[in-house]
Amino acid sequence: TIPNKSQIIENEQIWTLKDALKTRSFWLLIFTGSSPSLIITALVFHQVSLFGNKGLDSSIAASALTVMAIGTLSGTLLSGILTDRFQPRYIVASSHAIVIIGMLFSFTISGEIEALIYGAILGLGFGVFLTSSTVIWANYFGRKYLGSIRGVATSWMVAFAALGPMPFGILFDITGDYNIAITIFLILPAACGLAAIFAKAPMKHI
C-alpha cells in the first residue's frame, strides 16, 4: 500500500547531495532523465526536416508543436493524479513507454492527422515524465537538500538535451532518412524505463 501524505512527511529521510551521490538510485534516476531530454529535444529540433522528409509542409510541423504542448499539459496533470496513487518509479517508466510509442508512430506519418497524433503522443510522454520525475526526487531524498540534488540532476538533463540533436543530424546526413536514427535511439527510452523500475527508494543506514 502507498503511505498517506502525513506518513511520508513524518518519515521523510533527509539526504545531503554527498550522501545521495553514493546511492544507486541517484544514478539510475539521472539515467532515466537522459531519454526525454535527448529524444524529445532531438525530434523537436529536427521536426521541420523530419516532416519535410516525409513530404509534409513546415506549417504542419508548427501545428504538431501546438498539439505537443497540449499533450504535455495533459500528461503533467494525469501524472500528478497517478503519482498520488502509485509508486512514481512506475509512472516514470510508463512515460518512457509512451515516448517509445511516439517514436514508433513516427514511421507511419504520411499526412497531417498522423503528424498531429505523433505530436500528441510525444507531448503526453514528456508531460508524464515531468511531474513523476519531480515527485520521485523529493520522495527519495527529502526536501531539505533537494535544491542541490536536483541542481546536479537537472544539469545532466540539460547536457543530454544539448547533445540530442547532433547524433540525429549526423545519422540523417549519412543515411538521408530519420527512420534509422529513430530506430537506433529506441534503445534509450527502453533502457531508461527499465532503470526507472529498478530505481527503488534508497534507505539510510544509521
Side-chain angles (χ1 to χ4, degrees):
T1 59
I2 304 297
N4 61 43
K5 293 181 180 179
S6 61
Q7 289 175 318
I8 291 174
I9 294 173
E10 182 179 348
N11 300 323
E12 180 179 78
Q13 294 188 16
I14 302 300
W15 294 77
T16 64
L17 173 60
K18 180 179 179 181
D19 290 336
L21 288 169
K22 298 176 183 178
T23 67
R24 184 181 71 165
S25 295
F26 178 91
W27 295 105
L28 286 174
L29 291 179
I30 288 283
F31 179 60
T32 63
S34 66
S35 173
S37 300
L38 191 152
I39 299 296
I40 301 297
T41 303
L43 291 175
V44 170
F45 187 89
H46 290 283
Q47 186 150 289
V48 173
S49 179
L50 171 65
F51 285 8
N53 195 243
K54 295 177 179 294
L56 302 181
D57 188 81
S58 59
S59 62
I60 298 178
S63 299
L65 283 176
T66 301
V67 174
M68 188 178 294
I70 296 172
T72 301
L73 175 61
S74 302
T76 57
L77 295 174
L78 174 63
S79 183
I81 296 172
L82 293 177
T83 51
D84 284 343
R85 291 165 171 75
F86 304 100
Q87 293 187 37
R89 61 193 173 106
Y90 295 128
I91 312 304
V92 174
S94 70
S95 72
H96 295 297
I98 297 172
V99 170
I100 289 174
I101 293 172
M103 294 172 72
L104 291 172
F105 194 85
S106 71
F107 300 146
T108 71
I109 297 175
S110 60
E112 184 173 5
I113 298 300
E114 293 91 346
L116 296 180
I117 294 174
Y118 158 80
I121 295 173
L122 281 185
L124 179 66
F126 189 54
V128 170
F129 174 79
L130 285 177
T131 300
S132 58
S133 64
T134 299
V135 170
I136 200 170
W137 284 101
N139 284 2
Y140 280 17
F141 299 105
R143 294 164 295 168
K144 186 173 182 179
Y145 300 103
L146 186 60
S148 58
I149 291 172
R150 286 285 289 156
V152 172
T154 302
S155 297
W156 279 90
M157 290 179 63
V158 171
F160 283 121
L163 175 66
M166 182 174 65
F168 273 73
I170 292 173
L171 288 169
F172 177 76
D173 287 342
I174 294 172
T175 65
D177 188 78
Y178 284 104
N179 287 348
I180 294 177
I182 292 173
T183 300
I184 291 173
F185 277 92
L186 278 169
I187 192 173
L188 183 58
C192 288
L194 188 62
I197 293 174
F198 284 102
K200 297 182 179 180
M203 298 299 295
K204 299 194 76 170
H205 300 289
I206 301 176

